[in-house]
Amino acid sequence: MGELSNSQPKAPYAIREEPLGTAKHVRIVGIGAGASGINMIRTLRRNMTNYEHVIYEKNEKVGGTWFENRYPGCRCDIPSHNYQFSWRPNPEWSNFFSPAPEIEEYLSRICEEERMMDTIKTRHQVVGAWWDENRGLWDLSIRNLETGDEFRDQANFLVDASGILNNWKWPDIPNIKSFQGELVHTASWPKDFDYTNKTVALIGNGSSGIQLLPAIQPDVKKLYHFVRTPTWIIPPRIVSMMVMGGPAKDILSQIELDEKENFTQRQIERFKADPAFYRKFVKTIEQDSNGAFALILNGGAAQAFAMSKVTQYMTAALGGDEKLCKALIPKFPLGCRRITPAPDYLEALRAPNTEVITEGIAGIVPEGIQLESGEIIKLDAIICATGFDNSFTPRFPIVGRYGNVQDTMKTETPKGYMSCALAGVPNYFTFLGPNGPIGHGSVFTLSEHIARYIARVIIKCQTEGIKAIVPSDAAVADYGQHVATFMPRTAWASSCKSWFKGGKEDGPVTALHPGSRVHFFHMLERFRGEDWEYVYDNPTQNRFWYLGNGFSKRELDPKIDGTWYLEEEADRL
């Protein structure tokens, strides 16, 4: 453990006249009311006392990415019954992969039924945060997006749940704003955008692009699909689970689905009426999904088998078309880019009104897109499915002990402590920061583990007289060294353009955890106090001031079992 040195003369030490376990009052400010922010509300409610909590959310409704993404075909690529909170199971998901409006409605319903809206201030955006070392507080600037007014707030702890797939950006194409037709980004889809019978360009074949294309292809007059990098398109997930022979194979044979992977009404009723079977189904699908990490490890039998099967599938789905196979089937390992199921995508590429273009774009002209060859493709609309700013650079200044985090993230390889905290930024925690497990399955259960970890740290500060806590530079450097040394074992570090590497073809993997999903959960189970530096509330900086007046809250609070140590569970570590 460590603490910052203080050159000021120490005041005489005095006993804290409160029992051990007394929690000081703290104010916690959260940023973002997506799945992570919503879960943080519940975790704090269940585990903390003597605190106040407010979340500032820039949108008019909760839901985060599931409120913002409205493009046709938008859905989750994680099985529905695992893309939910463990504490709020929903046996009524309509499809094996939930459509976006259903997920948004699920999150909104939770906030209403759990009475969380009193904690959340919508249409409010944090625009600046400055750490005050003397006071041990964050000074915050908040903008009311309804009125445009700004006001100040303060917090003992700042919890950033704004998300990595949130800050969308236009592609870096010359003169993109010169286009005279309709210019649309999938992450900001206009409600009134009508693509029917129009000549449309779709730029990008990441997760959004491959969901959108089959949804709009039947209705457009002509669809030009611009593909810069091949991508692995896996067979329908249920088929994949059956072929790979994992734990889900047997239970999937007992599930009723139609040809579009919608659960039958009878199946939904069985989930509701038989909680034991439903729980077995959820846990089995979760266990199967957790096994995907083996596919990422270079040179393994699982990866070789999967690549062979996916190549066969893509070739068949593309009808053996030599041009399409060359353009779309990668040479790089499976997993270098996000592995994505894409029902009907490959088939839609063979439709008479679809044309795949792999030639580079020279720029945008008023009437459409100019290729590097000089050819101009005339268009009514350009749709950019080109992703987000994944640089980990905050949208607003976050000024800690070493200056503005924005400057650091722009000039250095992003590094963090177990994805949850940053060096030199006290009392600041983040969901899915640098090298977080964003590609490791459901963010809902990930957020539960991260929220519990953050809450444990805050409770430690509350009850042990800690004013400021921050991971040491040495701990962050060591963790970064481990990440950098481990990643070449994986397909993630292979040569391909990927947001895992900040949009680069080659470079450090900054967006993923160095291990499996279960590895991440295991890592966060224990707080490593030796990795952190502390500033204490008491003037003498005595670390044992929190021991107080000799009594314990456990013997003074009538709501607490004062002889808990006699229970059978007491000897469990």
PDB file of all heavy atoms in Angstrom, residues 8-39:
ATOM      1  N   GLN A   8       3.707  19.064   5.146  1.00  0.00           N
ATOM      2  CA  GLN A   8       3.208  19.933   6.211  1.00  0.00           C
ATOM      3  C   GLN A   8       3.448  19.284   7.576  1.00  0.00           C
ATOM      4  O   GLN A   8       3.394  18.062   7.717  1.00  0.00           O
ATOM      5  CB  GLN A   8       1.702  20.178   6.016  1.00  0.00           C
ATOM      6  CG  GLN A   8       1.349  20.888   4.707  1.00  0.00           C
ATOM      7  CD  GLN A   8       1.923  22.289   4.649  1.00  0.00           C
ATOM      8  OE1 GLN A   8       1.960  22.987   5.662  1.00  0.00           O
ATOM      9  NE2 GLN A   8       2.393  22.686   3.476  1.00  0.00           N
ATOM     10  N   PRO A   9       3.731  20.088   8.617  1.00  0.00           N
ATOM     11  CA  PRO A   9       3.916  19.513   9.955  1.00  0.00           C
ATOM     12  C   PRO A   9       2.640  18.831  10.425  1.00  0.00           C
ATOM     13  O   PRO A   9       1.537  19.334  10.208  1.00  0.00           O
ATOM     14  CB  PRO A   9       4.255  20.732  10.824  1.00  0.00           C
ATOM     15  CG  PRO A   9       3.772  21.922  10.047  1.00  0.00           C
ATOM     16  CD  PRO A   9       3.903  21.562   8.608  1.00  0.00           C
ATOM     17  N   LYS A  10       2.802  17.655  11.052  1.00  0.00           N
ATOM     18  CA  LYS A  10       1.646  16.887  11.478  1.00  0.00           C
ATOM     19  C   LYS A  10       1.047  17.448  12.761  1.00  0.00           C
ATOM     20  O   LYS A  10       1.752  17.819  13.684  1.00  0.00           O
ATOM     21  CB  LYS A  10       2.040  15.429  11.687  1.00  0.00           C
ATOM     22  CG  LYS A  10       2.358  14.687  10.392  1.00  0.00           C
ATOM     23  CD  LYS A  10       2.584  13.207  10.673  1.00  0.00           C
ATOM     24  CE  LYS A  10       2.807  12.435   9.367  1.00  0.00           C
ATOM     25  NZ  LYS A  10       2.986  10.997   9.637  1.00  0.00           N
ATOM     26  N   ALA A  11      -0.293  17.468  12.777  1.00  0.00           N
ATOM     27  CA  ALA A  11      -0.998  17.873  13.997  1.00  0.00           C
ATOM     28  C   ALA A  11      -0.964  16.709  14.985  1.00  0.00           C
ATOM     29  O   ALA A  11      -0.728  15.564  14.604  1.00  0.00           O
ATOM     30  CB  ALA A  11      -2.440  18.237  13.643  1.00  0.00           C
ATOM     31  N   PRO A  12      -1.188  16.994  16.253  1.00  0.00           N
ATOM     32  CA  PRO A  12      -1.218  15.914  17.242  1.00  0.00           C
ATOM     33  C   PRO A  12      -2.313  14.906  16.887  1.00  0.00           C
ATOM     34  O   PRO A  12      -3.405  15.269  16.463  1.00  0.00           O
ATOM     35  CB  PRO A  12      -1.531  16.648  18.557  1.00  0.00           C
ATOM     36  CG  PRO A  12      -1.136  18.063  18.310  1.00  0.00           C
ATOM     37  CD  PRO A  12      -1.382  18.322  16.859  1.00  0.00           C
ATOM     38  N   TYR A  13      -2.016  13.643  17.057  1.00  0.00           N
ATOM     39  CA  TYR A  13      -2.977  12.592  16.722  1.00  0.00           C
ATOM     40  C   TYR A  13      -4.073  12.549  17.785  1.00  0.00           C
ATOM     41  O   TYR A  13      -3.806  12.634  18.985  1.00  0.00           O
ATOM     42  CB  TYR A  13      -2.283  11.243  16.637  1.00  0.00           C
ATOM     43  CG  TYR A  13      -3.224  10.107  16.312  1.00  0.00           C
ATOM     44  CD1 TYR A  13      -3.809  10.007  15.058  1.00  0.00           C
ATOM     45  CD2 TYR A  13      -3.550   9.150  17.270  1.00  0.00           C
ATOM     46  CE1 TYR A  13      -4.684   8.973  14.759  1.00  0.00           C
ATOM     47  CE2 TYR A  13      -4.424   8.109  16.985  1.00  0.00           C
ATOM     48  CZ  TYR A  13      -4.985   8.024  15.726  1.00  0.00           C
ATOM     49  OH  TYR A  13      -5.864   7.017  15.438  1.00  0.00           O
ATOM     50  N   ALA A  14      -5.329  12.395  17.335  1.00  0.00           N
ATOM     51  CA  ALA A  14      -6.466  12.303  18.245  1.00  0.00           C
ATOM     52  C   ALA A  14      -7.355  11.142  17.813  1.00  0.00           C
ATOM     53  O   ALA A  14      -7.510  10.866  16.620  1.00  0.00           O
ATOM     54  CB  ALA A  14      -7.267  13.603  18.236  1.00  0.00           C
ATOM     55  N   ILE A  15      -7.953  10.476  18.784  1.00  0.00           N
ATOM     56  CA  ILE A  15      -8.822   9.341  18.500  1.00  0.00           C
ATOM     57  C   ILE A  15     -10.109   9.821  17.810  1.00  0.00           C
ATOM     58  O   ILE A  15     -10.692  10.840  18.181  1.00  0.00           O
ATOM     59  CB  ILE A  15      -9.179   8.594  19.805  1.00  0.00           C
ATOM     60  CG1 ILE A  15      -7.911   8.024  20.455  1.00  0.00           C
ATOM     61  CG2 ILE A  15     -10.210   7.499  19.554  1.00  0.00           C
ATOM     62  CD1 ILE A  15      -7.212   6.973  19.625  1.00  0.00           C
ATOM     63  N   ARG A  16     -10.538   9.081  16.838  1.00  0.00           N
ATOM     64  CA  ARG A  16     -11.832   9.355  16.196  1.00  0.00           C
ATOM     65  C   ARG A  16     -12.934   8.830  17.110  1.00  0.00           C
ATOM     66  O   ARG A  16     -12.978   7.640  17.421  1.00  0.00           O
ATOM     67  CB  ARG A  16     -11.891   8.648  14.840  1.00  0.00           C
ATOM     68  CG  ARG A  16     -13.183   8.856  14.073  1.00  0.00           C
ATOM     69  CD  ARG A  16     -13.237   7.904  12.883  1.00  0.00           C
ATOM     70  NE  ARG A  16     -14.358   8.170  12.016  1.00  0.00           N
ATOM     71  CZ  ARG A  16     -14.802   7.320  11.097  1.00  0.00           C
ATOM     72  NH1 ARG A  16     -14.202   6.142  10.958  1.00  0.00           N
ATOM     73  NH2 ARG A  16     -15.824   7.629  10.340  1.00  0.00           N
ATOM     74  N   GLU A  17     -13.794   9.715  17.552  1.00  0.00           N
ATOM     75  CA  GLU A  17     -14.800   9.332  18.544  1.00  0.00           C
ATOM     76  C   GLU A  17     -16.039   8.733  17.878  1.00  0.00           C
ATOM     77  O   GLU A  17     -17.174   9.174  18.063  1.00  0.00           O
ATOM     78  CB  GLU A  17     -15.171  10.538  19.406  1.00  0.00           C
ATOM     79  CG  GLU A  17     -14.030  11.066  20.263  1.00  0.00           C
ATOM     80  CD  GLU A  17     -13.529  10.029  21.280  1.00  0.00           C
ATOM     81  OE1 GLU A  17     -14.253   9.057  21.567  1.00  0.00           O
ATOM     82  OE2 GLU A  17     -12.387  10.185  21.762  1.00  0.00           O
ATOM     83  N   GLU A  18     -15.811   7.696  17.105  1.00  0.00           N
ATOM     84  CA  GLU A  18     -16.894   6.946  16.469  1.00  0.00           C
ATOM     85  C   GLU A  18     -16.478   5.490  16.399  1.00  0.00           C
ATOM     86  O   GLU A  18     -15.291   5.166  16.371  1.00  0.00           O
ATOM     87  CB  GLU A  18     -17.174   7.472  15.061  1.00  0.00           C
ATOM     88  CG  GLU A  18     -17.820   8.851  15.038  1.00  0.00           C
ATOM     89  CD  GLU A  18     -18.065   9.352  13.613  1.00  0.00           C
ATOM     90  OE1 GLU A  18     -17.083   9.557  12.891  1.00  0.00           O
ATOM     91  OE2 GLU A  18     -19.240   9.526  13.244  1.00  0.00           O
ATOM     92  N   PRO A  19     -17.455   4.563  16.378  1.00  0.00           N
ATOM     93  CA  PRO A  19     -17.104   3.142  16.343  1.00  0.00           C
ATOM     94  C   PRO A  19     -16.548   2.721  14.986  1.00  0.00           C
ATOM     95  O   PRO A  19     -16.825   3.348  13.955  1.00  0.00           O
ATOM     96  CB  PRO A  19     -18.432   2.438  16.637  1.00  0.00           C
ATOM     97  CG  PRO A  19     -19.486   3.407  16.222  1.00  0.00           C
ATOM     98  CD  PRO A  19     -18.909   4.768  16.494  1.00  0.00           C
ATOM     99  N   LEU A  20     -15.780   1.645  14.989  1.00  0.00           N
ATOM    100  CA  LEU A  20     -15.260   1.051  13.763  1.00  0.00           C
ATOM    101  C   LEU A  20     -16.427   0.656  12.854  1.00  0.00           C
ATOM    102  O   LEU A  20     -17.407   0.049  13.307  1.00  0.00           O
ATOM    103  CB  LEU A  20     -14.441  -0.195  14.116  1.00  0.00           C
ATOM    104  CG  LEU A  20     -13.944  -1.058  12.957  1.00  0.00           C
ATOM    105  CD1 LEU A  20     -12.970  -0.287  12.081  1.00  0.00           C
ATOM    106  CD2 LEU A  20     -13.299  -2.343  13.487  1.00  0.00           C
ATOM    107  N   GLY A  21     -16.298   0.998  11.586  1.00  0.00           N
ATOM    108  CA  GLY A  21     -17.365   0.680  10.627  1.00  0.00           C
ATOM    109  C   GLY A  21     -18.271   1.839  10.325  1.00  0.00           C
ATOM    110  O   GLY A  21     -19.166   1.727   9.467  1.00  0.00           O
ATOM    111  N   THR A  22     -18.085   2.971  11.006  1.00  0.00           N
ATOM    112  CA  THR A  22     -18.908   4.147  10.716  1.00  0.00           C
ATOM    113  C   THR A  22     -18.610   4.657   9.312  1.00  0.00           C
ATOM    114  O   THR A  22     -17.456   4.870   8.945  1.00  0.00           O
ATOM    115  CB  THR A  22     -18.635   5.266  11.737  1.00  0.00           C
ATOM    116  OG1 THR A  22     -18.957   4.791  13.051  1.00  0.00           O
ATOM    117  CG2 THR A  22     -19.461   6.504  11.427  1.00  0.00           C
ATOM    118  N   ALA A  23     -19.665   4.852   8.530  1.00  0.00           N
ATOM    119  CA  ALA A  23     -19.512   5.308   7.147  1.00  0.00           C
ATOM    120  C   ALA A  23     -19.734   6.806   7.065  1.00  0.00           C
ATOM    121  O   ALA A  23     -20.787   7.303   7.467  1.00  0.00           O
ATOM    122  CB  ALA A  23     -20.505   4.585   6.239  1.00  0.00           C
ATOM    123  N   LYS A  24     -18.734   7.514   6.570  1.00  0.00           N
ATOM    124  CA  LYS A  24     -18.898   8.961   6.382  1.00  0.00           C
ATOM    125  C   LYS A  24     -19.823   9.221   5.195  1.00  0.00           C
ATOM    126  O   LYS A  24     -19.995   8.382   4.304  1.00  0.00           O
ATOM    127  CB  LYS A  24     -17.539   9.626   6.148  1.00  0.00           C
ATOM    128  CG  LYS A  24     -16.874   9.235   4.831  1.00  0.00           C
ATOM    129  CD  LYS A  24     -15.555   9.963   4.624  1.00  0.00           C
ATOM    130  CE  LYS A  24     -14.889   9.538   3.317  1.00  0.00           C
ATOM    131  NZ  LYS A  24     -13.599  10.222   3.075  1.00  0.00           N
ATOM    132  N   HIS A  25     -20.394  10.402   5.158  1.00  0.00           N
ATOM    133  CA  HIS A  25     -21.273  10.782   4.051  1.00  0.00           C
ATOM    134  C   HIS A  25     -20.442  11.080   2.807  1.00  0.00           C
ATOM    135  O   HIS A  25     -19.413  11.760   2.873  1.00  0.00           O
ATOM    136  CB  HIS A  25     -22.092  12.019   4.417  1.00  0.00           C
ATOM    137  CG  HIS A  25     -23.033  12.446   3.316  1.00  0.00           C
ATOM    138  ND1 HIS A  25     -24.234  11.831   3.118  1.00  0.00           N
ATOM    139  CD2 HIS A  25     -22.916  13.404   2.361  1.00  0.00           C
ATOM    140  CE1 HIS A  25     -24.846  12.405   2.085  1.00  0.00           C
ATOM    141  NE2 HIS A  25     -24.063  13.361   1.610  1.00  0.00           N
ATOM    142  N   VAL A  26     -20.885  10.532   1.657  1.00  0.00           N
ATOM    143  CA  VAL A  26     -20.216  10.825   0.386  1.00  0.00           C
ATOM    144  C   VAL A  26     -21.265  11.130  -0.679  1.00  0.00           C
ATOM    145  O   VAL A  26     -22.403  10.660  -0.616  1.00  0.00           O
ATOM    146  CB  VAL A  26     -19.317   9.653  -0.087  1.00  0.00           C
ATOM    147  CG1 VAL A  26     -18.165   9.438   0.866  1.00  0.00           C
ATOM    148  CG2 VAL A  26     -20.121   8.376  -0.290  1.00  0.00           C
ATOM    149  N   ARG A  27     -20.835  11.941  -1.638  1.00  0.00           N
ATOM    150  CA  ARG A  27     -21.675  12.232  -2.803  1.00  0.00           C
ATOM    151  C   ARG A  27     -21.018  11.588  -4.022  1.00  0.00           C
ATOM    152  O   ARG A  27     -19.821  11.780  -4.280  1.00  0.00           O
ATOM    153  CB  ARG A  27     -21.826  13.739  -3.010  1.00  0.00           C
ATOM    154  CG  ARG A  27     -22.661  14.120  -4.242  1.00  0.00           C
ATOM    155  CD  ARG A  27     -22.931  15.618  -4.279  1.00  0.00           C
ATOM    156  NE  ARG A  27     -23.580  16.033  -5.521  1.00  0.00           N
ATOM    157  CZ  ARG A  27     -24.880  15.921  -5.794  1.00  0.00           C
ATOM    158  NH1 ARG A  27     -25.680  15.368  -4.873  1.00  0.00           N
ATOM    159  NH2 ARG A  27     -25.385  16.319  -6.935  1.00  0.00           N
ATOM    160  N   ILE A  28     -21.805  10.832  -4.768  1.00  0.00           N
ATOM    161  CA  ILE A  28     -21.327  10.110  -5.946  1.00  0.00           C
ATOM    162  C   ILE A  28     -22.062  10.645  -7.164  1.00  0.00           C
ATOM    163  O   ILE A  28     -23.302  10.671  -7.187  1.00  0.00           O
ATOM    164  CB  ILE A  28     -21.571   8.598  -5.799  1.00  0.00           C
ATOM    165  CG1 ILE A  28     -20.908   8.059  -4.535  1.00  0.00           C
ATOM    166  CG2 ILE A  28     -21.081   7.843  -7.033  1.00  0.00           C
ATOM    167  CD1 ILE A  28     -21.424   6.706  -4.104  1.00  0.00           C
ATOM    168  N   VAL A  29     -21.316  11.080  -8.163  1.00  0.00           N
ATOM    169  CA  VAL A  29     -21.907  11.540  -9.414  1.00  0.00           C
ATOM    170  C   VAL A  29     -21.574  10.542 -10.511  1.00  0.00           C
ATOM    171  O   VAL A  29     -20.409  10.178 -10.702  1.00  0.00           O
ATOM    172  CB  VAL A  29     -21.412  12.950  -9.806  1.00  0.00           C
ATOM    173  CG1 VAL A  29     -21.828  13.290 -11.239  1.00  0.00           C
ATOM    174  CG2 VAL A  29     -21.973  13.989  -8.834  1.00  0.00           C
ATOM    175  N   GLY A  30     -22.601  10.081 -11.203  1.00  0.00           N
ATOM    176  CA  GLY A  30     -22.427   9.161 -12.319  1.00  0.00           C
ATOM    177  C   GLY A  30     -22.659   9.863 -13.643  1.00  0.00           C
ATOM    178  O   GLY A  30     -23.402  10.846 -13.718  1.00  0.00           O
ATOM    179  N   ILE A  31     -22.013   9.359 -14.675  1.00  0.00           N
ATOM    180  CA  ILE A  31     -22.175   9.898 -16.026  1.00  0.00           C
ATOM    181  C   ILE A  31     -22.748   8.795 -16.896  1.00  0.00           C
ATOM    182  O   ILE A  31     -22.095   7.774 -17.134  1.00  0.00           O
ATOM    183  CB  ILE A  31     -20.831  10.379 -16.610  1.00  0.00           C
ATOM    184  CG1 ILE A  31     -20.157  11.388 -15.680  1.00  0.00           C
ATOM    185  CG2 ILE A  31     -21.031  10.979 -17.994  1.00  0.00           C
ATOM    186  CD1 ILE A  31     -18.732  11.740 -16.094  1.00  0.00           C
ATOM    187  N   GLY A  32     -23.978   8.976 -17.357  1.00  0.00           N
ATOM    188  CA  GLY A  32     -24.586   8.020 -18.274  1.00  0.00           C
ATOM    189  C   GLY A  32     -25.568   7.077 -17.603  1.00  0.00           C
ATOM    190  O   GLY A  32     -25.265   6.476 -16.578  1.00  0.00           O
ATOM    191  N   ALA A  33     -26.763   6.948 -18.218  1.00  0.00           N
ATOM    192  CA  ALA A  33     -27.808   6.067 -17.698  1.00  0.00           C
ATOM    193  C   ALA A  33     -28.126   4.968 -18.703  1.00  0.00           C
ATOM    194  O   ALA A  33     -29.286   4.703 -19.028  1.00  0.00           O
ATOM    195  CB  ALA A  33     -29.065   6.860 -17.337  1.00  0.00           C
ATOM    196  N   GLY A  34     -27.058   4.326 -19.214  1.00  0.00           N
ATOM    197  CA  GLY A  34     -27.238   3.094 -19.960  1.00  0.00           C
ATOM    198  C   GLY A  34     -27.248   1.935 -18.981  1.00  0.00           C
ATOM    199  O   GLY A  34     -27.499   2.106 -17.784  1.00  0.00           O
ATOM    200  N   ALA A  35     -26.961   0.725 -19.468  1.00  0.00           N
ATOM    201  CA  ALA A  35     -27.019  -0.455 -18.612  1.00  0.00           C
ATOM    202  C   ALA A  35     -26.090  -0.330 -17.403  1.00  0.00           C
ATOM    203  O   ALA A  35     -26.465  -0.666 -16.279  1.00  0.00           O
ATOM    204  CB  ALA A  35     -26.665  -1.701 -19.424  1.00  0.00           C
ATOM    205  N   SER A  36     -24.871   0.188 -17.598  1.00  0.00           N
ATOM    206  CA  SER A  36     -23.911   0.278 -16.495  1.00  0.00           C
ATOM    207  C   SER A  36     -24.356   1.269 -15.437  1.00  0.00           C
ATOM    208  O   SER A  36     -24.275   1.005 -14.228  1.00  0.00           O
ATOM    209  CB  SER A  36     -22.532   0.659 -17.035  1.00  0.00           C
ATOM    210  OG  SER A  36     -22.026  -0.331 -17.898  1.00  0.00           O
ATOM    211  N   GLY A  37     -24.820   2.438 -15.868  1.00  0.00           N
ATOM    212  CA  GLY A  37     -25.279   3.440 -14.916  1.00  0.00           C
ATOM    213  C   GLY A  37     -26.488   2.970 -14.133  1.00  0.00           C
ATOM    214  O   GLY A  37     -26.592   3.198 -12.910  1.00  0.00           O
ATOM    215  N   ILE A  38     -27.413   2.296 -14.818  1.00  0.00           N
ATOM    216  CA  ILE A  38     -28.618   1.783 -14.152  1.00  0.00           C
ATOM    217  C   ILE A  38     -28.241   0.738 -13.113  1.00  0.00           C
ATOM    218  O   ILE A  38     -28.740   0.746 -11.984  1.00  0.00           O
ATOM    219  CB  ILE A  38     -29.586   1.206 -15.201  1.00  0.00           C
ATOM    220  CG1 ILE A  38     -30.192   2.349 -16.034  1.00  0.00           C
ATOM    221  CG2 ILE A  38     -30.682   0.372 -14.551  1.00  0.00           C
ATOM    222  CD1 ILE A  38     -30.936   1.894 -17.267  1.00  0.00           C
ATOM    223  N   ASN A  39     -27.342  -0.158 -13.483  1.00  0.00           N
ATOM    224  CA  ASN A  39     -26.937  -1.184 -12.533  1.00  0.00           C
ATOM    225  C   ASN A  39     -26.216  -0.581 -11.328  1.00  0.00           C
ATOM    226  O   ASN A  39     -26.350  -1.073 -10.207  1.00  0.00           O
ATOM    227  CB  ASN A  39     -26.035  -2.214 -13.203  1.00  0.00           C
ATOM    228  CG  ASN A  39     -25.696  -3.356 -12.275  1.00  0.00           C
ATOM    229  OD1 ASN A  39     -26.520  -4.212 -12.007  1.00  0.00           O
ATOM    230  ND2 ASN A  39     -24.482  -3.353 -11.754  1.00  0.00           N
TER     231      ASN A  39
END
